[in-house]
Amino acid sequence: MSIQIPRGTQDILPGEIELWQYIEEKAKDVCRRFNYQEIRTPIFEHTDLFQRGVGDTTDIVQREMYTFEDRGKRSITLRPEGTAGVARSYVEKKMYGQANQPTKLYYNGPMFRYERPQSGRMRQFVQFGVEAIGSSDPAIDAEVLALAMSIYEELGLKEVKLVLNSLGDKESRDSHRQALIDHFKPSISEFCEDCQNRLEKNPLRILDCKKDRDHPLMSTAPSILDYLNEESKTYFEKVRAHLDQIGISYVVDPTLVRGLDYYYHTAFEIMAEGEGFGAITTLCGGGRYTGLVEDLGGPSSPGIGFAFSIERLIMALKAKNQVIPSAPKLDCYVVSLGDEAKDKTVELVYQLRKAGISADKDYLDKKMKAQFKAADRLDARYTAILGDNELTQGKINVKDMETGDQVEVELDAFIDYLKEKTVGGK
């Protein structure tokens, strides 16, 4: 019986992976220009990290985590998101003691959530994320938002909008929390079991419920913006002023609630606009967090970050028919005729590769015609033809596959000749 790939996962094959690499390199280049550095954390962590960092009332912790007991009887979880692991590393490696602050990091890698697989929602998915930890300046919020929007702009995805909200500080959230409890409590029996459990623990999460989003009380729920104290209002106004200053357009949505417990003040999403995107319209989400680092044993270190799914970004690019880069052409395919020539091509292909030229040859003893077909399939820029007679004469024929022109080159000068045509001519 054949073994198939687990449900909710995917193989990314040659021909597809080039788009992933293109997106990742674009995002990394934007981060470089914003002075963010890469961090790589384990794909599994102790379960306590996510229970404390993400929050017991979240869907992630309650039903979506891949958790298991290892041979040492320790509870281990495959990471469902990136922020908690970055914060753990920030504390454990004492990054808060470094001279340059805030600590500005980005990550890229697989995450795992057990949920029903559907278009744009996988059980193993890849997130690109950014975290800036150690500053409570509204300007860093604007910087992070600008960084996120810049990635989409660099990729040519213009039909997106930045949706913004403020969740306020602790005092503001506490006031809003009580107002939500008072609003929902008389009719809480009409809501799902999850919402009923959240009423006292974290009523803000009710607003994020997918099952009850059409309930009439949702549209009349108290707005957090009506409960912001002066400090929170001022903070939000400064974030918006900085965005206006640098020309980043946005929409304020007081119903926007992020699904993790550690968010305070700025919360945001980047949404797809226009036709063709399908049901999945949220491309990116994030916000400011306070208390996460402290909960993990570190000093007071507020932060802000975001993450986006590479899979969803690819869906958006394809939906808008963005130009998707193709696999790079092979520089040279070496065709051989005769046993001695065949043996010589092993050396030639190696020398080409050492010179920075992408090269390949036949390894299946194909006839010359079939070797030329292989060169065509690989979209080779040049084909070098070496027979036993040419080898004896110290010659090799090089054909430009685009123009059809063919020249005879001294074998000793072949590598330099092709290097000038490919590496030197790029």
Side-chain angles (χ1 to χ4, degrees):
M1 185 181 76
S2 63
I3 299 176
Q4 296 183 330
I5 192 171
R7 189 165 181 250
T9 64
Q10 62 181 327
D11 295 316
I12 307 170
L13 306 179
E16 302 172 272
I17 195 65
E18 291 79 15
L19 175 57
W20 288 71
Q21 293 167 341
Y22 174 75
I23 290 170
E24 290 164 358
E25 288 307 312
K26 282 284 187 181
K28 289 178 180 179
D29 185 59
V30 172
C31 288
R32 177 190 61 79
R33 283 180 270 146
F34 278 69
N35 196 32
Y36 285 68
Q37 297 177 306
E38 185 177 8
I39 183 173
R40 300 186 185 186
T41 61
I43 63 169
F44 63 88
E45 302 263 9
H46 293 292
T47 303
D48 286 350
L49 172 66
F50 302 111
Q51 290 174 335
R52 292 165 60 186
V54 177
D56 285 331
T57 64
T58 61
D59 287 342
I60 293 175
V61 171
Q62 288 185 347
R63 62 174 62 90
E64 294 177 0
M65 294 200 309
Y66 276 93
T67 298
F68 59 95
E69 192 175 84
D70 70 5
R71 294 184 180 183
K73 306 299 182 183
R74 293 172 289 260
S75 182
I76 298 295
T77 296
L78 298 179
R79 63 184 182 194
E81 57 92 51
T83 302
V86 171
R88 188 267 312 145
S89 181
Y90 176 83
V91 173
E92 186 175 350
K93 300 302 189 293
K94 295 182 173 58
M95 284 188 261
Y96 49 81
Q98 295 175 355
N100 293 325
Q101 295 296 329
T103 300
K104 306 202 301 188
L105 306 166
Y106 72 86
Y107 58 86
N108 180 48
M111 309 291 166
F112 306 84
R113 295 185 193 177
Y114 188 87
E115 51 187 341
R116 185 172 66 86
Q118 54 185 298
S119 179
R121 195 181 296 274
M122 306 288 287
R123 288 177 174 172
Q124 177 180 320
F125 55 98
V126 178
Q127 272 191 350
F128 191 100
V130 158
E131 309 292 343
I133 308 176
S135 172
S136 57
D137 187 341
I140 199 74
D141 296 37
E143 176 180 283
V144 168
L145 294 167
L147 194 163
M149 291 296 285
S150 294
I151 291 174
Y152 291 95
E153 182 180 346
E154 292 273 333
L155 292 167
L157 199 59
K158 302 184 186 304
E159 293 185 350
V160 296
K161 66 176 178 180
L162 173 61
V163 181
L164 202 61
N165 192 23
S166 173
L167 302 180
D169 58 11
K170 186 178 186 306
E171 180 183 72
S172 302
R173 286 191 61 162
D174 286 346
S175 299
H176 185 231
R177 177 182 181 278
Q178 189 57 53
L180 289 173
I181 292 174
D182 295 341
H183 177 76
F184 287 113
K185 193 169 187 177
S187 305
I188 196 62
S189 61
E190 301 172 10
F191 287 75
C192 69
E193 184 178 349
D194 286 338
C195 286
Q196 293 179 36
N197 292 333
R198 290 166 178 160
L199 180 65
E200 297 294 339
K201 292 181 179 179
N202 190 355
L204 191 66
R205 293 282 292 114
I206 296 177
L207 300 178
D208 201 34
C209 180
K210 296 177 179 62
K211 293 180 182 178
D212 296 317
R213 59 187 171 189
D214 295 325
H215 193 285
L217 286 180
M218 289 294 203
S219 60
T220 58
S223 168
I224 180 62
L225 297 182
D226 294 331
Y227 292 85
L228 296 180
N229 57 23
E230 287 304 314
E231 183 179 346
S232 296
K233 286 180 182 178
T234 300
Y235 193 96
F236 194 39
E237 288 169 359
K238 286 184 177 180
V239 173
R240 295 173 62 183
H242 286 311
L243 291 174
D244 294 337
Q245 181 184 15
I246 60 179
I248 301 291
S249 60
Y250 58 89
V251 176
V252 176
D253 181 359
T255 67
L256 174 63
V257 178
R258 296 297 301 151
L260 306 179
D261 285 356
Y262 47 60
Y263 285 119
Y264 284 85
H265 286 301
T266 309
F268 68 95
E269 291 181 351
I270 296 176
M271 310 286 289
E273 284 193 306
E275 298 179 357
F277 287 108
I280 302 295
T281 57
T282 301
L283 301 178
C284 173
R288 174 165 282 283
Y289 44 89
T290 301
L292 175 59
V293 171
E294 295 91 317
D295 287 344
L296 300 178
S300 177
S301 303
I304 182 169
F306 68 81
F308 64 81
S309 160
I310 301 286
E311 288 88 346
R312 288 195 188 184
L313 178 51
I314 288 175
M315 288 174 59
L317 290 170
K318 290 181 176 179
K320 304 315 293 182
N321 296 316
Q322 285 299 117
V323 176
I324 296 173
S326 58
K329 289 186 176 184
L330 184 73
D331 289 327
C332 182
Y333 191 90
V334 182
V335 173
S336 63
L337 180 63
D339 291 338
E340 292 183 9
K342 176 186 171 184
D343 290 341
K344 181 65 175 179
T345 61
V346 174
E347 176 190 340
L348 291 178
V349 168
Y350 175 75
Q351 289 176 344
L352 287 169
R353 293 165 176 169
K354 289 282 284 184
I357 302 165
S358 60
D360 211 343
K361 66 179 292 295
D362 170 55
Y363 292 97
L364 298 177
D365 286 328
K366 291 178 180 177
K367 302 295 185 182
M368 180 173 280
K369 185 177 180 180
Q371 292 182 56
F372 273 108
K373 286 183 177 180
D376 284 335
R377 286 194 299 271
L378 291 168
D379 202 15
R381 297 169 63 188
Y382 294 89
T383 300
I385 306 103
L386 181 69
D388 284 348
N389 290 336
E390 287 81 6
L391 180 60
T392 300
Q393 298 169 15
K395 309 280 188 181
I396 188 168
N397 291 298
V398 180
K399 181 177 182 180
D400 186 322
M401 298 297 281
E402 183 176 348
T403 65
D405 295 337
Q406 182 170 310
V407 296
E408 189 176 65
V409 178
E410 294 289 335
L411 196 55
D412 290 343
F414 168 60
I415 303 300
D416 289 337
Y417 174 83
L418 210 59
K419 188 174 181 180
E420 177 62 29
K421 290 288 186 179
T422 55
V423 180
K426 287 183 179 177

